[in-house]
Amino acid sequence: MNQSHIARPTRKDLMDGICSRWPGMEANTRIEEDGSALITCDIATLRELCEWLFCENNYAFATLIVEDEEADWLFRYIFYGDAEVGVVHVCMKQPKSNTVAPSISAGVHAADWHEREVEDLFGISFEGHPRLGDFVLHEEWPEGVNPMKKDFDASKPYMHRQVDPEWRPLRILEAQGAFMMPIGPVYSDYAEACQFFLETVGEDVVRTTPRIFYKFRGVEKLAENQPVERVLLMAERFSGASAFAHSLAFCRAVEKISGLEPPPRGQVLRVLFAELERLRHHVGAIAGICGSTALAVATSQASILEEELLRLSCIMSGHRYLFGVNRPGGISIDVTSDQCKMLGDSVRSIASDLKNLFDMLRLSSSFLDRIEEVGIVSTENALSYGLVGPVARGSGIARDLRNILPYGPYKSQIACQTALETEGDGYARLRVLFREAEESANIICRLSSELPPGDVASPEFRLKAGQALGWVEAPLGAAFHWVSIGEEGAVKRYRVTPPSFMNWHGFHLAAENFAFQDFPIVMATFGLSNAECDR
Amino acid sequence: MSKWVLLGIRSGTKTTRYPSHTESAAGISPGRPKDTLMADKNAQALIRDLCPTGALNPKNDRIAVDYRRCISCRRCARGASTLVDWEESWEWASLSAPDLNASSALGSPFSQSLHIRVLDAGACRACLSEIEQLGKPYYNIHRLGFFMTPTPRHADVLLVAGPVADNMRLPLEKAYDAMPTPKRVVAVGACALSGGVFGPSFTSYGSLKNVIPVDVEIPGCPPPPLAIIHGLLVLTGRRPPAESGATSFLDRRSGT
């Protein structure tokens, strides 16, 4: 089932296809130094070209980047295939005076929320998009003020307008006795701020609409004109639970611009820390799933392992969440061989405890009853919503950036298997989490005993001007960081596409026609982060 | 089901014995920079420039640390030849007004039973994750009489993390207003104290104090679970705050 998604055309197929379909387009297509293809197109071709890539050639949609240039809006749509076909940038320019762009989301549904985001932040509307407005900026924000425009002053707080008393959340369900139950943004014991509108006709919830961006901190705007060192702190801190992955994606983009890779020891240590973070994240997610089904002992067992991994991270790096480890050119700490041995031993014992936990869970029928066939996302839906990470892999999509767009040591040195399940329900996602946690533990154990000698950071690292896309497989899935650095060394444009943003888009698929008491379970098996999404 | 019970029993007790005993396990706290004696003006300037948030400032012959601003980036602990001292502690919480007396901290009726509502005002999830650890086996705050409650109407304490993102201002104010009196507010983490790397800006208020009154401040990025427990103990008068000496706070408390 998954094979059909892996079989993608080669780079030559891409060029041939473009030439035969749009004669003359080859002049506008070029292959960049890093192997990515850059296609420049006009407004008329944009929609067709994007649909052709997404629907007919199985390219995944990565992100939409809008740049506010002197005279034009620059739209950059990024798609990715696998290592063979790489990354495709589709660029389109239109004059500043034209604030209406064609919407590609009818064909490329994964771009739906990206367009809504751009509409709120840049004031550009998308022709043909069914639902714009009230997304990033909530009802208190004044109309017509668009913070991502160059002329907006981000340092000052803006003036509130009165909340519109007529404002109501969008309701879709129309039936006798239909009722809408709002949950959040302050709810549950430790939950992140997010609101859900559950539309119900009695016990069953027919539809769920999440309202996100309660935690919008405007990282992309705050990064503008800031030195790289400062932006690194934000890249690390907008999502504390996957701080290492995001700082790594940012650093990789900066290093790509400079054309300098970190030394081997630095690269391998980065993998070590990235996998340690993934392991800790997945163990935490497993604890969350056990907790959502009220299985107390299993929750405690997983939580014990999570705290042990937090302590281990602190012993290795000085910080429980691996803050301050990455820096452009490498990492800022080195580890001793004693530390590595201790890490390997501890992770091995944690992996064996995890295995025991899974063996007990899979034989606990009361637990399985609650997560099997709950929150199902079909492969087709997962593809069209562009879902990523463990959620997509639980729905039969074999996409893991470590394998399809390998970076650093994942290119050759480290083989990691893509965990894949096809049912798309809560149990499939749980199994993916366990498999990936095991795989991460294996990688850590292997690498900790064979670290290459040498420096951990490149002493010759110098900042350069330019722009590049950095990506990593974060614990929750594919993360893309677009960084553009100006001549004076400050960041001109920073665009983050975190995995949670892609997956919250598809969350409503899993939260349809279910019994109300299953809601926490659907939430936990998705395991999404609002901090990461809202950035 | 019995196998789960057996597994639970086999795991033994993991819970820390803090505050009745000290805790010495490795990795429980990232530590923090310490007020450091540094007479050399050049070294002082170097350290000051290393700090991205202005938490380290020369003061006579010392480097003084503003913990509200410190974001645990550890740049002052690496990369310069003269480094600041580092302390491996966790009792960091302080009362927000230095002259706050016992009658403004929660009194004895609450000292053994305190209900807490956690509120995410734009936190990055590291603070929230550390707060979540409080209810888990290693820390288990129930043993201290602290309980999490899902509604502000049952809460004595609002535990807030994050730089107060603009979209969360209204929910925060509503939650605060919904709490019965007496009520107390604890600000957790550098973001809630100074805005951290995010604020103040067009989307963040930069500090919880700019929106609602704050009683106890717990610095750290994020503060480890034991630091948060210390903050709650300070609030109920069961441990002295970081700034004052061990006896003075307790004396003040019994004196009023």
Side-chain angles (χ1 to χ4, degrees):
Chain A
M1 184 164 184
N2 57 304
Q3 293 307 315
S4 63
H5 309 304
I6 292 174
R8 293 193 187 87
T10 63
R11 160 97 52 223
K12 191 170 169 305
D13 290 341
L14 171 77
M15 300 303 275
D16 292 349
I18 289 175
C19 293
S20 65
R21 184 126 176 195
W22 293 278
M25 189 75 125
E26 63 270 28
N28 299 332
T29 307
R30 67 163 200 267
I31 305 294
E32 301 273 321
E33 270 172 46
D34 64 351
S36 61
L38 177 72
I39 309 173
T40 316
C41 74
D42 52 19
I43 298 181
T45 356
L46 177 78
R47 192 177 294 179
E48 207 187 328
L49 179 62
C50 291
E51 284 179 16
W52 180 76
L53 285 168
F54 188 78
C55 305
E56 292 176 37
N57 288 290
N58 275 324
Y59 274 88
F61 179 73
T63 181
L64 161 62
I65 302 152
V66 176
E67 281 177 81
D68 183 352
E69 297 197 323
E70 213 127 285
D72 302 288
W73 299 113
L74 178 62
F75 292 78
R76 186 184 290 268
Y77 299 82
I78 300 182
F79 295 83
Y80 61 102
D82 54 18
E84 178 69 21
V85 288
V87 178
V88 179
H89 296 237
V90 177
C91 286
M92 191 264 290
K93 250 184 195 184
Q94 70 178 42
K96 267 280 180 59
S97 55
N98 184 3
T99 54
V100 181
S103 164
I104 63 162
S105 64
V108 186
H109 192 57
D112 177 10
W113 274 19
H114 288 81
E115 290 181 348
R116 289 181 70 183
E117 198 186 0
V118 169
E119 197 265 347
D120 256 8
L121 297 178
F122 287 90
I124 296 171
S125 77
F126 288 87
E127 197 180 1
H129 194 291
R131 189 187 169 195
L132 294 169
D134 190 35
F135 189 57
V136 181
L137 310 169
H138 286 186
E139 69 271 21
E140 282 187 294
W141 188 275
E143 285 299 324
V145 180
N146 307 109
M148 283 306 285
K149 280 184 181 164
K150 274 271 182 306
D151 53 13
F152 179 84
D153 181 5
S155 61
K156 288 189 301 214
Y158 68 87
M159 296 298 291
H160 280 98
R161 68 167 183 194
Q162 281 293 311
V163 179
D164 180 3
E166 293 301 306
W167 185 87
R168 294 284 182 280
L170 180 73
R171 286 181 67 168
I172 292 169
L173 183 65
E174 283 178 24
Q176 191 162 21
F179 172 77
M180 193 186 71
M181 177 184 277
I183 296 182
V186 181
Y187 70 108
S188 183
D189 278 1
Y190 309 100
E192 285 190 81
C194 183
Q195 197 167 25
F196 302 91
F197 299 118
L198 271 56
E199 293 192 71
T200 148
V201 276
E203 196 65 6
D204 282 359
V205 178
V206 180
R207 200 193 138 80
T208 306
T209 314
R211 188 172 195 225
I212 53 169
F213 282 110
Y214 272 98
K215 299 169 68 164
F216 178 59
R217 282 146 293 163
V219 166
E220 292 175 8
K221 183 69 184 180
L222 297 183
E224 276 179 13
N225 303 319
Q226 295 289 325
V228 168
E229 287 286 293
R230 174 89 189 174
V231 180
L232 174 63
L233 294 172
M234 293 189 213
E236 205 163 68
R237 279 166 181 75
F238 78 87
S239 171
S242 44
F244 191 84
H246 287 288
S247 59
L248 179 58
F250 175 77
C251 288
R252 286 188 43 77
V254 173
E255 284 156 12
K256 222 163 155 185
I257 296 170
S258 296
L260 196 81
E261 293 251 304
R265 187 176 175 87
Q267 296 228 25
V268 172
L269 277 172
R270 275 182 170 178
V271 171
L272 202 68
F273 284 120
E275 296 301 336
L276 184 59
E277 183 179 75
R278 190 184 323 277
L279 177 59
R280 189 208 72 222
H281 177 277
H282 283 8
V283 170
I286 289 164
I289 294 173
C290 296
S292 74
T293 61
L295 199 58
V297 180
T299 313
S300 295
Q301 294 295 322
S303 303
I304 288 170
L305 299 181
E306 186 189 3
E307 172 66 17
E308 280 171 3
L309 283 162
L310 282 168
R311 292 182 180 185
L312 202 54
S313 306
C314 190
I315 296 167
M316 295 298 291
S317 75
H319 197 283
R320 285 161 60 93
Y321 293 85
L322 304 172
F323 287 6
V325 176
N326 266 315
R327 66 178 168 105
I331 59 171
S332 51
I333 50 163
D334 202 351
V335 295
T336 62
S337 54
D338 286 350
Q339 276 180 315
C340 279
K341 191 174 173 311
M342 189 272 303
L343 176 72
D345 293 346
S346 309
V347 166
R348 213 165 282 129
S349 123
I350 287 170
S352 117
D353 286 351
L354 260 187
K355 194 171 173 308
N356 291 341
L357 182 63
F358 180 66
D359 286 340
M360 286 181 70
L361 282 176
R362 87 190 155 80
L363 295 174
S364 295
S365 53
S366 68
F367 174 71
L368 296 182
D369 282 347
R370 298 216 60 192
I371 65 165
E372 272 184 318
E373 293 179 35
V374 164
I376 298 176
V377 180
S378 69
T379 309
E380 289 69 31
N381 277 337
L383 271 179
S384 84
Y385 277 74
L387 301 189
V388 292
V391 175
R393 294 191 279 275
S395 289
I397 300 181
R399 272 185 193 145
D400 182 328
L401 293 191
R402 290 175 293 172
N403 289 329
I404 64 168
L405 289 175
Y407 48 92
Y410 295 111
K411 274 183 193 154
S412 50
Q413 223 172 328
I414 301 160
C416 67
Q417 284 187 341
T418 303
L420 193 68
E421 300 289 343
T422 50
E423 292 92 336
D425 62 350
Y427 189 37
R429 292 192 280 275
L430 179 75
R431 293 202 305 273
V432 168
L433 289 175
F434 268 107
R435 286 260 306 278
E436 290 188 7
E438 191 190 342
E439 186 73 25
S440 292
N442 286 343
I443 294 176
I444 295 169
C445 293
R446 205 170 343 133
L447 289 184
S448 61
S449 61
E450 48 187 52
L451 277 181
D455 285 344
V456 291
S458 161
E460 303 93 71
F461 179 80
R462 296 288 174 275
L463 280 180
K464 278 189 192 154
Q467 50 192 24
L469 182 73
W471 63 80
V472 296
E473 182 73 21
L476 279 162
F480 294 90
H481 288 228
W482 171 261
V483 182
S484 165
I485 299 178
E487 290 299 334
E488 64 296 334
V491 171
K492 261 166 53 190
R493 175 84 169 99
Y494 180 37
R495 165 81 177 144
V496 190
T497 309
S500 290
F501 182 67
M502 303 300 284
N503 285 355
W504 270 121
H505 184 203
F507 176 74
H508 79 91
L509 295 166
E512 260 171 22
N513 299 317
F514 64 101
F516 185 75
Q517 66 272 19
D518 286 343
F519 185 63
I521 300 175
V522 178
M523 285 275 292
T525 58
F526 259 67
L528 300 180
S529 160
N530 286 99
E532 190 180 68
C533 171
D534 300 357
R535 62 213 183 271
Chain B
M1 275 294 109
S2 58
K3 59 187 179 142
W4 285 113
V5 178
L6 285 174
L7 178 68
I9 293 170
R10 251 202 331 268
S11 306
T13 306
K14 300 278 185 189
T15 312
T16 173
R17 294 166 78 195
Y18 177 81
S20 59
H21 295 69
T22 190
E23 174 64 61
S24 57
I28 44 168
S29 166
R32 63 177 185 176
K34 211 162 82 175
D35 226 45
T36 306
L37 192 67
M38 193 179 286
D40 182 5
K41 291 284 176 235
N42 292 335
Q44 282 188 349
L46 197 69
I47 291 288
R48 189 192 60 216
D49 294 345
L50 264 180
C51 181
T53 54
L56 300 177
N57 289 297
K59 204 175 179 182
N60 304 327
D61 59 345
R62 316 185 68 83
I63 290 281
V65 190
D66 180 354
Y67 292 114
R68 291 193 178 105
R69 294 182 176 277
C70 177
I71 55 166
S72 274
C73 66
R74 299 179 83 90
R75 285 182 189 175
C76 55
R78 300 166 184 149
S81 51
T82 318
L83 304 172
V84 295
D85 294 341
W86 204 261
E87 58 176 22
E88 300 291 335
S89 58
W90 67 80
E91 292 200 323
W92 299 342
S94 59
L95 294 161
S96 65
D99 59 342
L100 197 68
N101 59 34
S103 60
S104 25
L106 283 170
S108 57
F110 294 93
S111 69
Q112 303 298 323
S113 167
L114 194 70
H115 285 158
I116 302 157
R117 170 68 238 188
V118 181
L119 198 142
D120 166 18
C124 73
R125 210 181 178 192
C127 281
L128 291 177
S129 168
E130 296 291 50
I131 294 172
E132 207 173 335
Q133 301 302 324
L134 297 181
K136 294 182 169 180
Y138 268 106
Y139 300 101
N140 185 14
I141 52 168
H142 298 164
R143 73 200 154 93
L144 300 168
F146 300 139
F147 305 95
M148 297 295 175
T149 168
T151 161
R153 295 221 185 269
H154 296 166
D156 309 309
V157 176
L158 199 61
L159 201 64
V160 188
V164 192
D166 193 75
N167 289 340
M168 277 310 287
R169 182 191 57 90
L170 205 56
L172 171 67
E173 286 176 350
K174 282 186 180 174
Y176 181 71
D177 290 343
M179 289 167 68
T181 49
K183 54 186 165 190
R184 292 292 173 257
V185 177
V186 178
V188 180
C191 286
L193 298 179
S194 69
V197 287
F198 300 112
S201 78
F202 74 111
T203 50
S204 317
Y205 285 82
S207 160
L208 183 59
K209 256 186 196 161
N210 296 339
V211 186
I212 55 172
V214 173
D215 300 285
V216 169
E217 301 180 343
I218 310 176
C221 185
L226 287 176
I228 303 170
I229 293 178
H230 174 247
L232 295 171
L233 293 170
V234 166
L235 185 76
T236 46
R238 291 155 72 181
R239 289 293 289 179
E243 258 86 337
S244 55
T247 49
S248 61
F249 177 72
L250 294 174
D251 289 349
R252 257 195 329 224
R253 186 166 175 266
S254 53
T256 30

